[in-house]
Amino acid sequence: MKIARFHTTDGPTRLGRVEGDRVTDISAVVGGTSLRTILPVLPSLKQEILAADGPGYALADVVLEAPIDNPQKYLGIGMNYKEHAEEARAAGIPVPENQMWFNKQVSCVTGPYDGIVKPGLSDALDYEIELGVVIGRRCKHVSVKDARAVIAGYLVTNDVSVRDWLQKKSPTFTLGKSFDTHGPIGPWLTTDDEITDPHALRMTLSVNGEVRQDWLTNDMIHDIYEQIAYLSQVFTLMPGDILATGTPAGIGAPRGRFLKVGDIVRAEIEGLGHIENRVISEG
């Protein structure tokens, strides 16, 4: 299933089932408009959701919102693609031996077609397409073998980064990864049962139509299940937690090709759809 959060002009947020170019309101069937809240019971609601016949709309006539409302955690892993790690090494950046995780503050989350604000204090605004994994149920100490069972689904993320605030001004990465609007996600949640192999998806990111990143998810150094097992040794993962699983080669920083106001960034992942965001000025 593909489940979106959306609203019509001046209307309240609704939950909808996406099929082709249309979305059907399922809010009454699932008893609310919070996708995060229903994630633990989403598999048991599948037949009711598929049979729902609420009001329908063309996707072109609604505004899609960030699919996950108020996530408790948004975590990203650094240098998790082999080619990207080599790209970083060539730029003089040490490549970690273990999984290197950082926080994106959840306040940076924004909708799939919302603007990305270029902060006035930096000209080093960069993009990173990443496969986003959404946790479906509360879990701790998950084994690699059992990790897929705790995944609700997947979405497209752009881990927008302000490079000069990553290491020089914030060694923990938190600030440079967490500016407002720097977490566009979407366009909807695609449930795990729709994806045969999350490690065999093509990811493509373009800026103003020029392809900058084009890679397969099979190039991860630490795969998705290893990531979940590693994190869940430390803290409890909760329904709606978002894991950005790494970006491939082609980011702007090594070539000094940073984003400017007016640029259009489109990120697409096979089977999940695309998000598209215009870079806008601050204030």
Side-chain angles (χ1 to χ4, degrees):
M1 296 183 292
K2 293 178 171 57
I3 309 294
R5 294 176 68 242
F6 71 97
H7 65 267
T8 58
T9 305
D10 299 327
T13 296
R14 313 298 294 172
L15 275 184
R17 181 189 72 235
V18 176
E19 293 171 303
D21 60 357
R22 295 191 63 79
V23 58
T24 300
D25 193 334
I26 61 169
S27 306
V29 170
V30 301
T33 60
S34 169
L35 179 53
R36 181 175 64 86
T37 300
I38 68 167
L39 284 176
V41 295
L42 194 57
S44 66
L45 292 171
K46 180 175 181 178
Q47 294 309 315
E48 288 125 299
I49 291 172
L50 292 177
D53 60 354
Y57 308 90
L59 282 172
D61 294 335
V62 305
V63 176
L64 293 179
E65 303 180 16
I68 304 300
D69 50 298
N70 301 315
Q72 288 195 7
K73 306 182 198 71
Y74 185 178
L75 296 156
I77 185 170
M79 286 182 272
N80 193 40
Y81 276 73
K82 300 182 183 75
E83 191 70 16
H84 177 49
E86 290 306 315
E87 182 179 54
R89 195 192 312 275
I93 301 172
V95 177
E97 294 183 2
N98 299 308
Q99 297 186 30
M100 185 188 77
W101 286 94
F102 55 84
N103 279 308
K104 283 179 79 76
Q105 296 299 295
V106 294
S107 54
C108 78
V109 172
T110 191
Y113 303 110
D114 293 346
I116 295 171
V117 174
K118 178 193 169 299
L121 51 70
S122 176
D123 291 319
L125 183 67
D126 210 348
Y127 52 82
E128 295 186 6
I129 187 173
E130 306 202 15
L131 172 63
V133 170
V134 177
I135 299 298
R137 61 179 173 85
R138 181 187 177 104
C139 56
K140 185 80 184 291
H141 297 304
V142 181
S143 68
V144 171
K145 177 174 64 70
D146 295 333
R148 185 156 188 176
V150 306
I151 297 173
Y154 309 91
L155 38 72
V156 183
T157 73
N158 182 354
D159 176 18
V160 180
S161 306
V162 180
R163 297 295 177 198
D164 51 347
W165 278 73
L166 284 184
Q167 291 181 309
K168 294 179 182 176
K169 298 183 178 181
S170 172
T172 65
F173 277 32
T174 298
L175 299 186
K177 292 287 190 179
S178 298
F179 281 70
D180 290 347
T181 74
H182 288 190
I185 62 172
W188 38 70
L189 179 78
T190 299
T191 53
D192 177 68
D193 58 349
E194 288 221 348
I195 302 298
T196 303
D197 183 358
H199 299 105
L201 305 178
R202 178 167 293 283
M203 304 189 292
T204 307
L205 181 139
S206 64
V207 178
N208 303 325
E210 176 190 355
V211 175
R212 301 278 185 90
Q213 293 181 287
D214 185 1
W215 221 257
L216 290 172
T217 53
N218 65 3
D219 192 41
M220 290 183 191
I221 297 171
H222 308 286
D223 71 26
I224 293 166
Y225 314 133
E226 292 169 336
Q227 293 178 39
I228 291 171
Y230 193 81
L231 287 172
S232 68
Q233 297 175 102
V234 180
F235 42 66
T236 302
L237 293 170
M238 301 296 291
D241 285 353
I242 301 168
L243 311 182
T245 56
T247 197
I251 62 171
R255 300 157 192 81
R257 302 185 73 185
F258 294 114
L259 296 171
K260 305 181 298 296
V261 171
D263 284 347
I264 304 291
V265 185
R266 177 185 170 108
E268 182 169 5
I269 298 181
E270 180 182 2
L272 307 185
H274 76 275
I275 62 176
E276 185 171 297
N277 310 94
R278 177 184 292 274
V279 179
I280 59 178
S281 61
E282 185 173 34

